[in-house]
Amino acid sequence: LNRYQSDWQSLIPTHIKLHYAGSMGLFSIGTGWDYGKRDQWETDIILGFVPKYTTKHAKVVFTVKQNYIPWNKPVGDKGFFFSPLTCGLYVSAISGNEFWSSAPNKYPSGYYTFSTKLRFNIYAGERITYRIPENKRFGFEEVSFFYEISTCDLYLISGIQNNRLKVTDYLKLSFGLKFQFF
């Protein structure tokens, strides 16, 4: 019985994340799980929002993200930790009829080799974490600020094939906050 309770408890998310940019929407929010011997792995499910800008409708982006944080180092004795490397992969799918998984029949076979609905991304970044003292916790054990530099499959191939592109054309910067429950 205890084993089954433990299995069910592992389904409870351990954190919430807020993102700004990063090919997951202009703003996004998600939840996820930490695991591994040192909680060095994270899996996130994220829902993002893209304002309408030059299109008729706003869009929603659904992202599944896998993170790896190999180590963190204490900074002083005030509860701060620095993670000099965070990295991972994620897949994002955008809503909207103008996006497709495979090219519509109106295009010749092989004309478009990439889906416009799905993007496969890779990122690297850093994180600073503050472990909240037990007597001051209000639902969260830790709060982390992070940044990530990312690119997607299409941007990466375009950057390699086109030497006229600047690095800022295919590398994107995002920021976020992670609120750790337990």
Side-chain angles (χ1 to χ4, degrees):
L1 184 62
N2 287 339
R3 184 176 157 265
Y4 290 114
Q5 286 178 335
S6 176
D7 289 345
W8 281 108
Q9 287 175 337
S10 68
L11 297 176
I12 298 170
T14 58
H15 62 264
I16 292 175
K17 284 188 180 174
L18 304 173
H19 275 269
Y20 172 74
S23 300
M24 293 176 265
L26 182 60
F27 296 103
S28 57
I29 185 169
T31 190
W33 301 264
D34 300 277
Y35 50 93
K37 289 183 180 180
R38 298 176 322 279
D39 284 337
Q40 74 273 25
W41 293 99
E42 297 173 354
T43 300
D44 300 323
I45 297 173
I46 300 167
L47 196 60
F49 172 76
V50 179
K52 62 182 181 179
Y53 291 121
T54 59
T55 61
K56 291 182 182 180
H57 304 287
K59 296 173 185 52
V60 174
V61 180
F62 178 74
T63 302
V64 176
K65 186 176 180 188
Q66 184 62 49
N67 310 293
Y68 179 61
I69 305 96
W71 67 90
N72 60 49
K73 299 289 182 189
V75 178
D77 59 355
K78 301 290 184 192
F80 285 94
F81 295 86
F82 178 61
S83 301
L85 174 66
T86 62
C87 55
L89 305 167
Y90 56 99
V91 179
S92 295
I94 190 164
S95 66
N97 294 335
E98 63 271 32
F99 300 102
W100 31 265
S101 297
S102 57
N105 291 335
K106 66 182 180 179
Y107 298 110
S109 179
Y111 188 77
Y112 283 109
T113 56
F114 282 93
S115 161
T116 60
K117 187 175 272 304
L118 291 175
R119 287 279 66 86
F120 296 89
N121 300 267
I122 187 168
Y123 84 88
E126 294 178 324
R127 180 183 296 188
I128 186 91
T129 300
Y130 175 64
R131 184 165 294 141
I132 302 167
E134 284 190 45
N135 61 341
K136 295 183 180 182
R137 292 182 185 164
F138 294 102
F140 299 111
E141 182 178 298
E142 297 175 346
V143 62
S144 300
F145 170 78
F146 60 88
Y147 77 89
E148 298 170 352
I149 298 172
S150 63
T151 191
C152 70
D153 49 358
L154 184 59
Y155 293 168
L156 186 61
I157 289 173
S158 297
I160 292 169
Q161 292 177 344
N162 186 345
N163 61 2
R164 292 181 297 196
L165 291 177
K166 298 177 281 190
V167 171
T168 55
D169 291 329
Y170 55 88
L171 291 181
K172 303 301 176 189
L173 178 64
S174 63
F175 299 97
L177 291 171
K178 175 186 175 189
F179 299 93
Q180 187 76 33
F181 296 124
F182 32 61

